[in-house]
Amino acid sequence: VPRNYDPTLHPFEVPREYVRALNATKLERVFAKPFLASLDGHRDGVNCLAKHPKSLATVLSGACDGEVRIWNLTKRKCIRTIQAHEGFVRGICTRFCGTSFFTVGDDKTVKQWKMDGPGYGEEEEPLHTILGKTVYTGIDHHWKEPVFATCGQQVDIWDEQRTSPICSMTWGFDSISSVKFNPIETFLLGSCASDRNIVLYDMRQATPLKKVILDMRTNTICWNPMEAFIFTAANEDYNLYTFDMRALDTPVMVHMDHVPAVLDMDYSPTGKEFVSASFDKSVRIFPLDKSRSREVYHTKRMQHVICVKWTSDSKYIMCGSDEMNIRLWKANASEKLGVLTSREKAAKDYNQKLKEKFQHHPHIKRIARHRHLPKSIYSQIQEQRIMKEARRRK
């Protein structure tokens, strides 16, 4: 047999790489410790979260007792508390410049607050208060102009300087649960109502554009920050539906893994993935083009997760839940935080490539996919499977 003694030609290259990929996959599961911190201080369930557009460390949260808190994530402390509303804080959003933020509550008011606390001897007062006729259920701010939208019985577009809406838009008669501005085509907005429909509006025409009706109610929608036409809807039927606005007949992708209703979702700044929060007390991360989640987060103490946000540096996930805590998670469960040396970086990249190369080998696939679930979720998934199989047989 002619032999080539060239040291660059490894005779066992693939088996060696396979073993390395297997070890890298196992180590990834060993180091998967996603939970970072719990921010406690609220005296009631956390109902809504908002990110600061300019500062990564600042997060705002509104609770069910009308209290709004501003948190510093680096110190993991609450830096300011405002008693904003009577009853629930239904929605909270920041202005695009980060100088102020808006809240809406069950007391039929919209309030604008300064982002910085009051000076020495000043009272904690809102900058503006708008008294509405009905309860507002959600609010979102335009990404570039001093305009914001609220929803309740209809979608109202407001100018910051005026106390009455510029225009009100409605299609059918039902309460609308959430409204979101498109971050790219900034004059488009979407809303979802409790009569199972999702309506898209155009601010320039002051009319509704399109409507899609699903089988069950949609709790919230979120626009993709990178692709202007794509949005995802979090539905009561345990699924998330990604739609292309130009063709609403069928969803682009159906994301299935949650067991009860999906309550909230948020895109990562890269637009490649999104995180969803569910009534089943867990948080899941889905790739945009996959129907199954790549990651599920849960703790023993965490109850129904009501709101979730992906931070603007794409590294962390925050979720607010029923038992009054805001939890901070890593977006990549096994990622090492802090400064990496060049050798660590090289090793990480090499391992990542190996895992991608061998990801479809059964043994590696099984290890990478395996997650421990709470017993309640596990048993519900089995039950769902049986029901689905029965429907298919029938």
Side-chain angles (χ1 to χ4, degrees):
V1 180
R3 305 261 321 261
N4 188 341
Y5 289 104
D6 182 2
T8 56
L9 301 174
H10 281 303
F12 295 119
E13 185 179 17
V14 175
R16 266 179 212 178
E17 282 192 346
Y18 176 76
V19 170
R20 284 177 189 166
L22 188 64
N23 289 343
T25 312
K26 286 178 179 173
L27 283 175
E28 182 190 45
R29 297 316 310 144
V30 167
F31 290 125
K33 295 191 169 40
F35 180 71
L36 288 174
S38 168
L39 310 172
D40 48 347
H42 276 296
R43 293 190 292 276
D44 208 332
V46 182
N47 202 37
C48 47
L49 285 171
K51 300 182 281 198
H52 193 293
K54 298 280 169 76
S55 149
L56 282 174
T58 312
V59 170
L60 303 96
S61 63
C64 296
D65 57 353
E67 186 181 63
V68 171
R69 282 178 180 254
I70 301 179
W71 304 87
N72 185 328
L73 288 184
T74 41
K75 294 179 182 159
R76 295 177 190 172
K77 279 195 178 68
C78 172
I79 49 180
R80 186 164 156 224
T81 308
I82 307 164
Q83 187 57 45
H85 295 277
E86 306 287 325
F88 283 36
V89 179
R90 287 288 174 191
I92 185 169
C93 72
T94 51
R95 200 171 184 275
F96 58 90
C97 61
T99 51
S100 61
F101 63 94
F102 296 82
T103 58
V104 291
D106 274 356
D107 52 4
K108 302 183 184 177
T109 57
V110 182
K111 293 184 180 176
Q112 182 182 6
W113 306 83
K114 279 218 321 248
M115 191 64 82
D116 309 320
Y120 181 69
E122 284 180 27
E123 288 289 310
E124 183 74 86
E125 292 273 300
L127 290 171
H128 302 294
T129 304
I130 300 169
L131 271 166
K133 295 183 177 66
T134 56
V135 173
Y136 296 115
T137 52
I139 184 168
D140 196 28
H141 202 285
H142 194 284
W143 288 75
K144 289 185 177 136
E145 290 168 24
V147 172
F148 62 93
T150 59
C151 60
Q153 286 185 357
Q154 74 244 24
V155 171
D156 293 329
I157 312 281
W158 306 75
D159 193 312
E160 283 181 15
Q161 309 303 325
R162 295 169 58 175
T163 54
S164 57
I166 311 170
C167 67
S168 298
M169 299 184 279
T170 176
W171 189 341
F173 300 93
D174 222 316
S175 58
I176 296 163
S177 54
S178 91
V179 62
K180 292 278 165 71
F181 273 101
N182 191 323
I184 304 167
E185 301 289 341
T186 50
F187 39 77
L188 290 178
L189 43 105
S191 73
C192 44
S194 51
D195 58 352
R196 316 197 315 268
N197 61 27
I198 302 167
V199 185
L200 307 176
Y201 307 91
D202 192 336
M203 219 170 72
R204 296 167 300 183
Q205 298 174 358
T207 54
L209 282 179
K210 291 182 173 182
K211 182 178 191 173
V212 53
I213 301 176
L214 301 177
D215 282 347
M216 286 176 84
R217 202 184 76 181
T218 302
N219 285 317
T220 185
I221 70 164
C222 193
W223 295 93
N224 191 324
M226 287 292 165
E227 298 178 74
F229 301 106
I230 306 288
F231 68 89
T232 303
N235 204 282
E236 286 275 330
D237 66 357
Y238 320 163
N239 298 339
L240 294 113
Y241 297 95
T242 299
F243 283 99
D244 188 326
M245 200 181 119
R246 298 162 293 186
L248 289 172
D249 307 334
T250 53
V252 183
M253 184 61 75
V254 181
H255 309 274
M256 314 167 281
D257 255 345
H258 282 296
V259 272
V262 190
L263 299 181
D264 196 15
M265 59 155 301
D266 190 31
Y267 266 97
S268 85
T270 58
K272 289 262 196 283
E273 297 181 311
F274 61 84
V275 58
S276 62
S278 168
F279 202 72
D280 63 9
K281 309 176 187 176
S282 71
V283 172
R284 284 182 186 267
I285 303 172
F286 290 88
L288 186 59
D289 52 352
K290 301 272 195 301
S291 61
R292 297 289 174 188
S293 64
R294 72 162 172 87
E295 198 62 83
V296 54
Y297 294 157
H298 53 84
T299 65
K300 264 209 177 95
R301 193 173 287 175
M302 187 156 75
Q303 295 304 310
H304 312 308
V305 192
I306 300 172
C307 50
V308 70
K309 279 276 181 272
W310 200 309
T311 56
S312 309
D313 61 348
S314 193
K315 275 187 188 288
Y316 307 103
I317 285 163
M318 291 165 307
C319 64
S321 49
D322 248 356
E323 78 322 326
M324 310 181 273
N325 281 14
I326 297 166
R327 288 185 172 77
L328 191 62
W329 309 85
K330 287 192 272 196
N332 275 342
S334 55
E335 185 182 25
K336 186 178 177 223
L337 298 179
V339 182
L340 298 179
T341 63
S342 53
R343 284 181 65 182
E344 277 178 318
K345 268 195 200 123
K348 186 174 135 250
D349 296 343
Y350 178 58
N351 286 343
Q352 188 56 40
K353 272 283 172 259
L354 284 177
K355 280 183 288 199
E356 278 170 26
K357 183 175 173 182
F358 291 95
Q359 64 186 343
H360 299 298
H361 284 237
H363 199 41
I364 289 179
K365 192 175 175 182
R366 183 185 62 81
I367 293 169
R369 232 180 50 194
H370 180 78
R371 297 288 180 278
H372 282 292
L373 290 169
K375 194 173 179 186
S376 57
I377 297 180
Y378 184 75
S379 53
Q380 271 175 299
I381 288 174
Q382 304 296 10
E383 196 181 325
Q384 290 289 324
R385 198 170 287 158
I386 293 164
M387 283 156 69
K388 203 170 174 184
E389 190 57 38
R391 276 202 300 273
R392 197 176 64 83
R393 272 208 312 276
K394 192 173 175 186

